[in-house]
Amino acid sequence: MAFHGFPCSHLPWRHACALDRTRLDTWHVFKLAVFLNWNFIATKLRVETEKRGCSTLSTFLESRFDDKSGLIRIITATIIIFFMGCYLAANLIGIGTVVEAVFGIDYTIAITVAMFVAMIYSFVGGYYTVAKVDQFQALFLLFAIFLVPLITYTHMPGGFQQVSKVARDNAIPMTLIGDSSWESIRSIIFLAMGWGLGYFGQPHIVTKFMGIKSPAELVKSKWVGMTWQVLALGFAAIVGFIGIGFFNASLYDPQLVFVVMVKELFNPLIGGFILCGLIAATLSTMDSQIIVSASVISEDFWKYFVKKHASDKELIWVSRLSVVALSFFSIYLAYSKNSTVEKAVLYAWSGLGCSFGPAIIMALYDKKANRHGAIAGIAIGGLIAGFWPSILPYISSFDIPSMIPGFFASILTIYLVSRAYAPKVVA
């Protein structure tokens, strides 16, 4: 069974590298939104999609909102492909940065090889292979993220006293909130909402809910997934905490805290295996995204607009060719390396979360939501997330995650437009 917490597998890098923000990242580990997603979205979505015979998110939204025009399918499929391409590029940036720093391999070669590895087993094996590979990678990652901080701690003579001293000397807060200032509270709220709200709309997460064998399996999946996530992200936060003392707050690139720990403490053979866990974390996200995007292209574009009666064999080949095309698109985006891993991931995460999270929630819980509201809400969410980085400097002096305005603007738009264009009841 695939671990549904995998789409968060990039987060250990973020948690581990934020040496001066451990207090905030610990909050992020226990995001309430993850649990709410399992409790209130997973089962209802699994039941609804089976009842309607839907295999993709686009077809579910089209069926639920009774859209005969195909507009919902076009908008959702386009948004998925664009932001999934950005997400894949962000993951490639992470892999390229690690491989270049550790092995001295050229960044371009690293991301090209990584993309082809993910592409090949997604191309050949499909959904089942991705699920099994994800399962293995999850266990491997959990082992690696547990072992490294444990070994690192044993190599710090001062232990936690050393961490406290370095934090005190460098004015790094060691508490969850740090202080009671508005800036600290605002940062925590923005961090939690900027990532947490996105869980409701990630296609590579919700399609795992849709694809599970039976709704009864979701109870077991929830507790397995939540346990994995708490353990993995908890130990990742500990990496950042211990890194404060181990590096004396002087690491030249905080994104590489886990990598440098491994290089300094393990021999090349063992260190290479451990770093495979880091790369596996990213690959497990990438393969899910590739499969989702390929399904969208074959089911929502090819079968609907090009050849309505396409055979299963033909759709498989369209899906496989889509895997290749999307892979090249992602490599092209990653070549520029014009962003940090965190910012690149957050951009894609926000785009998908703002576009689909509100639509899924309203589709499942608001009987009055209709196609007019859904189309407007999905479009508003996607546009705000897409252009927010360019708009923000003109309206605010501090960083506001696009997830906050995008998510709430989308859900409000769906509610208001659905009521404004509600079917008239004939007396």
Side-chain angles (χ1 to χ4, degrees):
M1 176 178 60
F3 280 71
H4 301 293
F6 279 2
C8 304
S9 56
H10 64 277
L11 294 176
W13 297 18
R14 178 176 180 275
H15 288 285
C17 74
L19 299 182
D20 59 340
R21 294 176 62 187
T22 304
R23 57 193 174 88
L24 298 180
D25 285 348
T26 303
W27 171 277
H28 184 204
V29 174
F30 301 100
K31 290 182 296 289
L32 180 61
V34 184
F35 187 75
L36 295 177
N37 203 25
W38 277 104
N39 265 13
F40 298 104
I41 300 298
T43 301
K44 286 181 71 71
L45 184 64
R46 171 65 178 81
V47 172
E48 282 293 314
T49 51
E50 182 178 30
K51 182 172 69 176
R52 297 174 182 276
C54 303
S55 58
T56 66
L57 181 59
S58 300
T59 54
F60 164 67
L61 293 175
E62 181 184 62
S63 173
R64 161 60 183 85
F65 293 115
D66 194 27
D67 178 38
K68 300 294 194 299
S69 67
L71 194 55
I72 286 181
R73 187 185 291 252
I74 294 174
I75 294 174
T76 55
T78 302
I79 290 174
I80 287 173
I81 292 170
F82 173 73
F83 283 111
M84 279 297 190
C86 295
Y87 210 146
L88 284 167
N91 289 321
L92 287 174
I93 292 172
I95 289 179
T97 301
V98 170
V99 173
E100 187 176 45
V102 176
F103 303 108
I105 298 175
D106 181 71
Y107 171 84
T108 301
I109 296 175
I111 64 173
T112 302
V113 172
M115 188 71 253
F116 273 94
V117 169
M119 179 184 71
I120 288 171
Y121 71 73
S122 299
F123 183 97
V124 175
Y127 186 90
Y128 181 80
T129 299
V130 167
K132 289 300 182 182
V133 170
D134 280 359
Q135 182 178 1
F136 172 76
Q137 290 172 342
L139 297 174
F140 192 40
L141 171 64
L142 194 60
F143 170 75
I145 207 69
F146 166 77
L147 180 65
V148 172
L150 181 64
I151 299 298
T152 304
Y153 181 76
T154 62
H155 283 73
M156 287 198 311
F160 286 116
Q161 288 76 18
Q162 182 174 333
V163 174
S164 299
K165 181 180 182 303
V166 173
R168 185 170 55 254
D169 293 344
N170 291 272
I172 301 174
M174 298 297 289
T175 60
L176 177 63
I177 298 178
D179 56 58
S180 57
S181 67
W182 164 240
E183 287 74 16
S184 291
I185 297 173
R186 182 185 65 202
S187 296
I188 291 174
I189 293 173
F190 282 1
L191 180 68
M193 296 182 70
W195 289 99
L197 291 174
Y199 278 99
F200 296 105
Q202 301 302 311
H204 52 293
I205 295 178
V206 297
T207 51
K208 295 289 181 67
F209 298 154
M210 295 163 56
I212 201 163
K213 184 165 58 177
S214 70
E217 292 288 326
L218 283 166
V219 176
K220 180 172 63 176
S221 299
K222 175 176 69 176
W223 293 114
V224 171
M226 288 298 298
T227 300
W228 180 90
Q229 186 157 336
V230 169
L231 290 175
L233 299 185
F235 281 114
I238 292 173
V239 170
F241 177 79
I242 293 177
I244 294 173
F246 186 73
F247 294 108
N248 197 22
S250 61
L251 187 63
Y252 68 95
D253 184 357
Q255 291 188 108
L256 299 176
V257 59
F258 183 89
V259 174
V260 178
M261 279 183 179
V262 173
K263 286 183 66 177
E264 292 191 10
L265 296 175
F266 296 88
N267 68 56
L269 179 62
I270 297 176
F273 277 111
I274 292 175
L275 291 175
C276 284
L278 196 62
I279 296 173
T282 306
L283 289 175
S284 68
T285 304
M286 290 172 60
D287 54 32
S288 299
Q289 294 164 344
I290 290 172
I291 290 295
V292 169
S293 302
S295 298
V296 165
I297 294 173
S298 61
E299 292 287 335
D300 299 330
F301 279 121
W302 187 265
K303 188 175 182 179
Y304 190 85
F305 295 105
V306 179
K307 196 171 182 181
K308 293 185 180 295
H309 302 291
S311 65
D312 290 341
K313 184 177 180 180
E314 181 178 348
L315 290 176
I316 289 174
W317 275 105
V318 170
S319 179
R320 287 175 172 174
L321 293 175
S322 301
V323 168
V324 176
L326 185 68
S327 299
F328 280 107
F329 172 64
S330 302
I331 291 175
Y332 171 76
L333 293 178
Y335 276 153
S336 61
K337 197 183 178 181
N338 57 4
S339 177
T340 64
V341 178
E342 177 186 352
K343 289 182 179 179
V345 169
L346 184 58
Y347 178 78
W349 181 268
S350 299
L352 295 169
C354 291
S355 301
F356 302 122
I360 292 172
I361 292 172
M362 298 298 275
L364 296 175
Y365 286 98
D366 184 8
K367 294 182 179 180
K368 293 184 179 180
N370 57 36
R371 63 178 295 271
H372 302 287
I375 292 171
I378 292 170
I380 288 293
L383 288 171
I384 290 177
F387 292 100
W388 188 252
S390 301
I391 299 172
L392 181 61
Y394 297 99
I395 62 177
S396 176
S397 59
F398 51 87
D399 189 23
I400 303 174
S402 61
M403 184 69 70
I404 296 176
F407 188 93
F408 289 108
S410 178
I411 205 165
L412 183 62
T413 299
I414 296 173
Y415 181 87
L416 294 177
V417 174
S418 294
R419 268 70 183 170
Y421 288 89
K424 295 181 179 180
V425 179
V426 180

